[in-house]
Amino acid sequence: MAELRPSGAPGPTAPPAPGPNAPPAFASLFPPGLHAIYGECRRLYPDQPNPLQVTAIVKYWLGGPDPLDYVSMYRNVGSPSANIPEHWHYISFGLSDLYGDSRVHEFTGTDGPSGFGFELTFRLKRETGESAPPTWPAELMQGLARYVFQSENTFCSGDHVSWHSPLDNSESRIQHMLLTEDPQMQPVQTPFGVVTFLQIVGVCTEELHAAQQWNGQGILELLRTVPVAGGPWLITDMRRGETIFEIDPHLQERVDKGIETDGSNLSGVSAKCAWDDLSRPPEDDEDSRSICIGTQPRRLSGKDTEQIRETLRRGLEINSKPVLPPINPQRQNGFTHDRAPSRKDSLESDSSTAIIPHELIRTRQLESVHLKFNQESGALIPLCLRGRLLHGRHFTYKSITGDMAITFVSTGVEGAFATEEHPYAAHGPWLQVKTAVGEKAQEEAVPLRSGTIALLRSAELSSHPSV
């Protein structure tokens, strides 16, 4: 639950924002991380020292449901000469470390990211006669923040979010989101680390699909060239009734050419998926064929999750020779290239089951497998084949309901434990499927050598966004 008030109005948990000449004793009462972000906001909006804010009545660190303490809303006049319309600018506070006392985020030093390392922004076109900003974008940002806090999957520029509903709960065609760097907000060095600003960009379903099949950055660049679809600052207009491909049909040709030349840089998705080992008979009527050791269900070890996470990250990079990073026994569980060892890895389960040491898990070669996906995830299989494997890359489905993961790898990917001789291999609950994809894949689907694929019923679709 949230309330709307000026940011300078006294509240139960936040004092008014101190000015640049505030006495040291007063400034010390203001959370340092919050103060640092306010400084960047004041740089952009010196004439709006106390913007309207949507604030969580019960803060997340006091048991409230909303991870963002505040969302500030500024009026931006834009630049008509540069095709930048007047709009509302929303800025979140809470994904980064505002307090530095571990009430929300563990402090790990000033050199790395503060909290999750970013805050969200959103630019909404101001309607004629509109005197106050709509507050629905604040709840949209809270929804994305809940996903980040619950999954600990962070966002990057070029990412997409499948929302499947008008962002403002209207009849709008703007039903999904891309993320990009905010064009005005500069990274901030706070006492608790660095904070960058990722802007939410509302898009139509056709634009989301193009981003999946090609890449998010490419679609963002196309949106920048169409003033009514975003323009240089990628301002969302919820009244937009046409896609960029309907506005300018030539843009579809650019996407098609990009897909043919570059493939897709979508290296994986969080999805509702599962796999069964058909090589062994079920042990009993209730056997779900999940990987088990003794009576304890298997979880992804820290090194498994690290390798999958690195697989997803590296898939976004353009490499001439795709490589799955090798499992390195010298690295400790929980360490990542940009995350502290104390923070739960983004692919680790919340289950209380003890993690089985990585060294005790052997890689198993399987004769046949059964793969199960929900409808949206299954619809990405052609993208996996034509946009990734055909270009010598890999694609990972990571289950949002459990610890399973499925990675398809082509023959050009090094570091995989699935081989051409044994194309199905499992390391704990992580399955790899090596598929030889040739020119025929452009004309027909590539079948699994010995296995099946099933789509889950619509009633089984997850309500979580696919990111």
Side-chain angles (χ1 to χ4, degrees), residues 44-45 72-76 87-91 121-124 182 184-185 199:
L44 285 183
Y45 302 105
S72 288
M73 302 176 288
Y74 295 88
R75 185 169 177 169
N76 192 305
H87 59 278
W88 304 109
H89 193 192
Y90 300 76
I91 302 169
T121 73
F122 182 62
R123 295 175 185 267
L124 177 66
D182 189 284
Q184 288 186 294
M185 302 287 286
Q199 180 176 316

Side-chain angles (χ1 to χ4, degrees), residues 406-452:
I406 303 167
T407 297
F408 293 88
V409 295
S410 69
T411 53
V413 175
E414 297 180 351
F417 46 79
T419 65
E420 293 185 27
E421 182 180 1
H422 300 288
Y424 309 134
H427 196 86
W430 183 12
L431 173 71
Q432 287 188 5
V433 178
K434 175 152 284 194
T435 306
V437 181
E439 295 180 356
K440 290 185 178 179
Q442 300 182 49
E443 301 175 358
E444 58 186 32
V446 178
L448 294 173
R449 263 169 73 175
S450 179
T452 58

Side-chain angles (χ1 to χ4, degrees), residues 145-168:
R146 291 186 199 104
Y147 167 80
V148 172
F149 272 81
Q150 292 168 9
S151 69
E152 297 211 5
N153 288 322
T154 58
F155 293 126
C156 298
S157 179
D159 283 354
H160 72 270
V161 180
S162 304
W163 200 251
H164 300 292
S165 177
L167 303 188
D168 60 352

Side-chain angles (χ1 to χ4, degrees), residues 95 121 139 208 225 278 297 301 339 349 455:
L95 285 161
T121 73
E139 180 52 37
L208 172 82
T225 67
L278 300 183
S301 72
R339 300 283 288 279
S349 169
L455 297 184

